[in-house]
Amino acid sequence: MGEKDEHTVRMRPADLPDPNATRLADPDATRAAETSVAARVPAVDVAPATTRLPERDGIDALSDPYFSPAVAADLTTARPVVSIDSPVESLPERKRRLPRWALVLIAVLVVAAAAGVAYLTYASELWGGKTVPEVVGLSEQDAHERLEAAGFAVEVEYRAGDGDFGTVLSVDPAEGVRADPAAGVTLVVAGERVIPSVVGLSEEEATQALYDAGAANVVVARQNSDEAAGTVLAVDPAEGSAFVSTDEITLTVAQPYTVPELTGMAEKDALAALEEAGLAGTVSYVESDAEKGTVVGTDPVAGTEVAGGTSVTLSVSSPYPAAPARLLEYFDLSPQALATYLGEEGFTLSYGATFPATGNAHVVFTGDQGEVLQITDYPESGSRGGSGGANMLEQGAGVGGVRYAFSSATLPAGAASESESGVRAVMEACGFEGLAEICTQDDVMARLGADGDWHFACASGQQGDYTWVVRIGGYGSNTGVVAMVAPTAHFKEQDLSRFGGSVCEYAAYIDLFTG
């Protein structure tokens, strides 16, 4: 060993500090140990040191149990090893650590326990949302209450349908799904279909709106209007009314006022059609080969667009008789129209009354050429009944029969002959057809045993529902031509037995012998 080693103080292992010591021994014990060591180690003379050792901090020395100041003699003289008790108490032996597999097992068990707790709390819906309850098929109110009881916020959406009104059709999120109650659920509830607001829309817009609302049967009716063509004027059922998809929904759509096609229509029907179209009508009678009383034209012409209320002039084939002697045509007129016609033809009322039994008119007119016209239930008689009175035709009294006595100015050519040819001339002037019989004074006087200066030719016939009679002749120098007509039923009601059932002889007798 070197020089330095020779001056090193050696110690026995027992005197060395305990390497496992982690704690200082009791301070008193430490001081005792130091005293013991000093007693066992003899004093050593130390020569003055020629080399200064590094100075140590006094605090460090005090805290070091193994430190004592070096003595010079100890550096040159060997000393026996001194045993020093360790001033630090030994700690208990460390416990043995658990094996790795045990630690892993414990960790697994902890995780499993945590998972079990999480599952149980989730299943108990303490977290992770709540299950949407079954509400489909319930009423809106019941479903609302059930969802709120489960903690869900509720919104309602209505879906129009044809039935189950107020019943829940579906729910979002769906039944049985876990959802956040705060996020809420939406109920889809069956609601009624309602007619939307369509008035004022175009036909296309209104129709689409109805289809969008669920209508499947939309029809369109046109109506004349001053509104723009195609504008919806009304809807039936009305806006806001409930309906089902199979109901018929009618849109009334504006169209321009247009003169309708009226040609060939009866005057009365044409006037009604104009009124329905929102127009007015006036009548102008014209001579025409068309059927009497039918429209032969309009002004403006059919198809012309006009403003509402415009007056349209109807050109009507004159319903009036072609001539005053066309007696059968009198029955085609209303009493008022006949009164108008006679006034236009220059006839003047000389007597007016009604028959109490029938209420029909009994009026006598005189023409401006001397002809005499009677409206009477008994045209076979020329009795006038008096004078004065009112024109009962104007008041609507009916026409039971017509008698017309020609004047010399109105007598048809050839009608003065008391013969078949004369009779036929009168028939043509009156428009009579269907000659059935001709009789003369000889036939009547022989049947009745009468005598006198009678001379006449009389004829009768049936035309449709009417029977006509023509008489030419008279008594002595009095000669006249008379035409008469009445419903056939009238003559059937008379007692014709005295005349062998002959209308011709009956009418001639009453006209000449009693009239």
Side-chain angles (χ1 to χ4, degrees), residues 221-480:
R222 308 290 174 182
Q223 178 177 306
N224 292 339
S225 172
D226 290 326
E227 294 288 339
T231 301
V232 175
L233 303 176
V235 60
D236 184 28
E239 295 175 343
S241 299
F243 74 100
V244 297
S245 58
T246 55
D247 287 345
E248 181 177 281
I249 311 298
T250 301
L251 289 175
T252 300
V253 178
Q255 67 178 8
Y257 286 98
T258 305
V259 178
E261 178 57 66
L262 304 173
T263 301
M265 294 180 65
E267 175 186 335
K268 180 176 65 175
D269 295 338
L271 289 172
L274 285 173
E275 182 178 357
E276 184 178 353
L279 305 175
T282 59
V283 176
S284 175
Y285 294 115
V286 297
E287 295 298 328
S288 171
D289 293 334
E291 182 180 353
K292 289 183 178 298
T294 60
V295 177
V296 296
T298 62
D299 182 23
V301 297
T304 303
E305 293 186 6
V306 294
T310 297
S311 180
V312 177
T313 300
L314 300 176
S315 295
V316 178
S317 177
S318 177
Y320 300 144
R326 308 283 286 195
L327 306 184
L328 282 169
E329 297 175 14
Y330 286 26
F331 294 96
D332 296 332
L333 296 175
S334 68
Q336 294 87 346
L338 179 56
T340 299
Y341 168 71
L342 294 175
E344 291 179 353
E345 290 296 319
F347 285 87
T348 302
L349 180 72
S350 59
Y351 173 74
T354 57
F355 290 97
T358 62
N360 289 335
H362 185 196
V363 290
V364 180
F365 297 91
T366 301
D368 57 6
Q369 298 185 76
E371 67 272 36
V372 177
L373 175 71
Q374 295 187 55
I375 305 299
T376 173
D377 283 352
Y378 301 95
E380 62 271 29
S381 172
S383 175
R384 297 191 178 191
S387 61
N391 187 347
M392 305 310 295
L393 292 175
E394 293 178 342
Q395 299 182 27
V399 178
V402 184
R403 177 186 175 93
Y404 186 82
F406 290 88
S407 65
S408 58
T410 58
L411 190 66
S417 173
E418 298 176 4
S419 63
E420 181 178 346
S421 61
V423 168
R424 290 191 177 277
V426 176
M427 287 175 58
E428 182 178 357
C430 295
F432 293 155
E433 297 177 354
L435 177 62
E437 61 176 327
I438 296 177
C439 64
T440 67
Q441 70 281 348
D442 296 335
D443 300 319
V444 175
M445 293 174 70
R447 187 180 295 280
L448 298 178
D451 57 11
D453 190 15
W454 298 100
H455 52 89
F456 61 86
C458 188
S460 67
Q462 187 172 337
Q463 193 168 341
D465 295 331
Y466 300 91
T467 295
W468 54 265
V469 176
V470 172
R471 185 266 297 173
I472 303 173
Y475 185 81
S477 60
N478 295 325
T479 300

Side-chain angles (χ1 to χ4, degrees), residues 66-91:
Y66 306 109
F67 175 80
S68 61
V71 180
D74 292 337
L75 299 176
T76 58
T77 305
R79 298 290 182 182
V81 176
V82 179
S83 175
I84 301 173
D85 294 333
S86 172
V88 180
E89 293 183 355
S90 299
L91 295 175

Side-chain angles (χ1 to χ4, degrees), residues 1-316:
M1 297 178 63
E3 182 178 355
K4 183 179 181 180
D5 295 335
E6 292 177 355
H7 295 281
T8 301
V9 177
R10 299 182 180 272
M11 296 183 180
R12 298 191 311 269
D15 298 327
L16 297 175
D18 185 358
N20 294 324
T22 60
R23 186 174 60 183
L24 291 175
D26 181 74
D28 294 336
T30 302
R31 286 193 296 270
E34 291 175 348
T35 303
S36 175
V37 171
R40 289 195 301 268
V41 178
V44 179
D45 294 330
V46 180
T50 58
T51 304
R52 289 181 63 91
L53 295 174
E55 293 183 359
R56 298 188 65 183
D57 187 284
I59 296 176
D60 292 338
L62 292 175
S63 63
D64 187 349
Y66 306 109
F67 175 80
S68 61
V71 180
D74 292 337
L75 299 176
T76 58
T77 305
R79 298 290 182 182
V81 176
V82 179
S83 175
I84 301 173
D85 294 333
S86 172
V88 180
E89 293 183 355
S90 299
L91 295 175
E93 293 186 2
R94 293 182 180 178
K95 295 181 180 179
R96 296 183 61 187
R97 293 183 177 180
L98 293 175
R100 187 178 300 275
W101 64 266
L103 294 175
V104 173
L105 177 60
I106 291 172
V108 170
L109 291 175
V110 170
V111 170
V117 171
Y119 173 77
L120 291 176
T121 56
Y122 180 82
S124 300
E125 298 189 346
L126 298 179
W127 63 277
K130 293 183 178 296
T131 301
V132 177
E134 295 182 357
V135 293
V136 174
L138 299 181
S139 68
E140 177 184 347
Q141 180 178 351
D142 291 344
H144 203 285
E145 292 175 354
R146 180 173 294 186
L147 287 167
E148 286 188 335
F152 288 94
V154 181
E155 293 184 359
V156 179
E157 175 184 315
Y158 295 97
R159 181 176 300 166
D162 291 336
D164 297 330
F165 303 132
T167 300
V168 176
L169 302 177
S170 64
V171 61
D172 181 29
E175 296 174 335
V177 173
R178 288 286 286 266
D180 179 6
V185 295
T186 300
L187 292 176
V188 178
V189 178
E192 292 182 317
R193 302 185 191 278
V194 177
I195 300 294
S197 297
V198 294
V199 174
L201 300 180
S202 68
E203 177 183 340
E204 294 74 15
E205 291 171 337
T207 301
Q208 187 59 54
L210 287 171
Y211 285 146
D212 291 344
N217 187 12
V218 179
V219 297
V220 176
R222 308 290 174 182
Q223 178 177 306
N224 292 339
S225 172
D226 290 326
E227 294 288 339
T231 301
V232 175
L233 303 176
V235 60
D236 184 28
E239 295 175 343
S241 299
F243 74 100
V244 297
S245 58
T246 55
D247 287 345
E248 181 177 281
I249 311 298
T250 301
L251 289 175
T252 300
V253 178
Q255 67 178 8
Y257 286 98
T258 305
V259 178
E261 178 57 66
L262 304 173
T263 301
M265 294 180 65
E267 175 186 335
K268 180 176 65 175
D269 295 338
L271 289 172
L274 285 173
E275 182 178 357
E276 184 178 353
L279 305 175
T282 59
V283 176
S284 175
Y285 294 115
V286 297
E287 295 298 328
S288 171
D289 293 334
E291 182 180 353
K292 289 183 178 298
T294 60
V295 177
V296 296
T298 62
D299 182 23
V301 297
T304 303
E305 293 186 6
V306 294
T310 297
S311 180
V312 177
T313 300
L314 300 176
S315 295
V316 178

